[in-house]
C-alpha cells in the first residue's frame, strides 16, 4: 500500500526535492506551502506529515498543536533550521514523532519516513474525540456504525464493498481519492484486484443512489471524490 504523505514547507525548492525523492520511493505526496494551507489539506488518508517549523504565518509548531487538539494523531516529522534541545523538546511536547535539522540528508529523511510509517502501522492510537457514526447530505444518510444507507428514510441495499466505498468517500469528502487508495482501503493490500474493479463498483453504487448518483464525481485519470457543493 502506498502511503500518502503531506510535505509542508514555505521553501519551494525543499518541497520539490522531498516530493521528487519520496515519489521515487513509491509514496503519494501532497505539498502545502504554508501552515494555513496544510490545515486545509490534511485528511484522514494522510499517513505522515513532514512539517517545517519556521514558516511565515502559522508556524509548524502551531499547526501540530491545532491538529492534536482536533483529535488528529497523524505522525509528524518536524523539519527545521534550528537544532537546539529546547526546540526538540517543544516539538515532541506538541505531539511530534521525529525531528530533522536542516540542511538534511535526503537518505536520512527517507529512512526516518520508512521507520515512522512502520511504527505507526503497528501502533493503536485512541483519538481524543469519538469518531462520527453518521454522515448525512439532504435526504441521504449513512450509518457508519450500523453499515446502513437510507434515502429519505428508506434503506437501500448495498453490498459490503459498495458501502465501504461510499463511507470512505463520505468521510474524506471533498478530497479526491485515487483508485489505488480506494483499493487499498476497501480491499486491502493482500487482495489482488484491478483498478477497473473500483469503476465497476462505483457504477453499480451510482445506480442505487438514484438522485444522489451525481455526488460521486470522477476526475479522469485521477480518481473519485464526493461533491456536496460545500
Amino acid at each position: 500500500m502506498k502511503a500518502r504523505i503531506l510535505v509542508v514547507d514555505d521553501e519551494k525548492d525543499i518541497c520539490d526535492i522531498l516530493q521528487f525523492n519520496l515519489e521515487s520511493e513509491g509514496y503519494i505526496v501532497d505539498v502545502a506551502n504554508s501552515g494555513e494551507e496544510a490545515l486545509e489539506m490534511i485528511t484522514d488518508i494522510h499517513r505522515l506529515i513532514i512539517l517545517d517549523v519556521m514558516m511565515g504565518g502559522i508556524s509548524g509548531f502551531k499547526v501540530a498543536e491545532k491538529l492534536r487538539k482536533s483529535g488528529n494523531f497523524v505522525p509528524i516529522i518536524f523539519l527545521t533550521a534550528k537544532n537546539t534541545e529546547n526546540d526538540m523538546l517543544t516539538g515532541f511536547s506538541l505531539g511530534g514523532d521525529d525531528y530533522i535539522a536542516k540542511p538534511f540528508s535526503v537518505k536520512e529523511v527517507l529512512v526516518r519516513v520508512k521507520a515512522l510509517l512502520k511504527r505507526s502501522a503497528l501502533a493503536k492510537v485512541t483519538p481524543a474525540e469519538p469518531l462520527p457514526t453518521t454522515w448525512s447530505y439532504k435526504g441521504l444518510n449513512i450509518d457508519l456504525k450500523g453499515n446502513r444507507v437510507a434515502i429519505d428514510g428508506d434503506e437501500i441495499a448495498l453490498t459490503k464493498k459498495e458501502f465501504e466505498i461510499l463511507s470512505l468517500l463520505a468521510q474524506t469528502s471533498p478530497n479526491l481519492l485515487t483508485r489505488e487508495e480506494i483499493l487499498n482501503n476497501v480491499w486491502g493490500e493482500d487482495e489482488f484486484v484491478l483498478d477497473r474493479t473500483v469503476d465497476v463498483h462505483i457504477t453499480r453504487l451510482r445506480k442505487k443512489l438514484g438522485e444522489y448518483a451525481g455526488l460521486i464525481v470522477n476526475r479522469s485519470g485521477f480518481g473519485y471524490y464526493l461533491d456536496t457543493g460545500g
Side-chain angles (χ1 to χ4, degrees):
M1 177 178 176
K2 290 184 179 179
R4 194 175 196 118
I5 297 172
L6 178 61
V7 173
V8 188
D9 200 304
D10 56 2
E11 295 184 56
K12 185 178 183 301
D13 289 347
I14 289 179
C15 289
D16 290 345
I17 290 169
L18 289 173
Q19 183 174 24
F20 175 80
N21 284 279
L22 288 166
E23 288 180 343
S24 296
E25 291 295 309
Y27 300 111
I28 300 169
V29 182
D30 296 320
V31 172
N33 296 122
S34 69
E36 292 86 348
E37 187 179 0
L39 290 171
E40 290 291 328
M41 290 180 65
I42 187 68
T43 71
D44 291 340
I45 209 70
H46 287 105
R47 298 272 307 282
L48 175 70
I49 304 179
I50 299 177
L51 180 59
D52 185 35
V53 172
M54 302 296 290
M55 295 184 289
I58 300 178
S59 71
F61 285 158
K62 194 65 177 178
V63 171
E65 183 180 12
K66 286 179 175 289
L67 287 175
R68 296 309 188 232
K69 285 183 176 179
S70 72
N72 188 320
F73 291 92
V74 61
I76 296 173
I77 296 178
F78 282 117
L79 198 63
T80 180
K82 294 185 176 182
N83 189 22
T84 67
E85 184 178 7
N86 285 339
D87 291 319
M88 293 177 67
L89 292 175
T90 298
F92 289 128
S93 70
L94 291 172
D97 298 270
D98 207 343
Y99 198 99
I100 300 176
K102 298 178 183 178
F104 56 81
S105 158
V106 170
K107 287 185 178 180
E108 179 187 3
V109 173
L110 295 176
V111 168
R112 288 176 183 252
V113 164
K114 184 176 181 180
L116 185 51
L117 286 171
K118 185 176 181 179
R119 290 203 308 269
S120 65
L122 297 174
K124 299 295 183 181
V125 179
T126 303
E129 300 291 336
L131 295 174
T133 58
T134 61
W135 184 93
S136 299
Y137 175 74
K138 295 184 177 179
L140 176 64
N141 182 268
I142 305 173
D143 182 347
L144 300 168
K145 190 174 182 180
N147 299 333
R148 291 188 294 270
V149 177
I151 295 178
D152 297 327
D154 296 323
E155 186 173 342
I156 60 174
L158 299 183
T159 66
K160 183 175 184 291
K161 298 301 185 188
E162 288 167 353
F163 175 82
E164 289 176 350
I165 291 172
L166 181 60
S167 61
L168 177 65
L169 290 171
Q171 292 178 89
T172 56
S173 174
N175 298 93
L176 180 142
L177 299 180
T178 65
R179 287 174 175 81
E180 185 171 12
E181 286 173 330
I182 296 173
L183 283 171
N184 287 336
N185 278 276
V186 173
W187 277 268
E189 57 186 312
D190 294 328
E191 291 188 56
F192 179 75
V193 286
L194 302 174
D195 286 359
R196 178 65 181 163
T197 302
V198 174
D199 300 327
V200 171
H201 278 75
I202 285 182
T203 297
R204 294 172 181 167
L205 181 56
R206 280 173 169 158
K207 289 180 180 179
K208 295 181 179 181
L209 290 177
E211 63 181 294
Y212 294 102
L215 285 177
I216 303 177
V217 179
N218 170 235
R219 283 188 61 194
S220 182
F222 292 92
Y224 293 92
Y225 68 98
L226 218 58
D227 182 14
T228 59

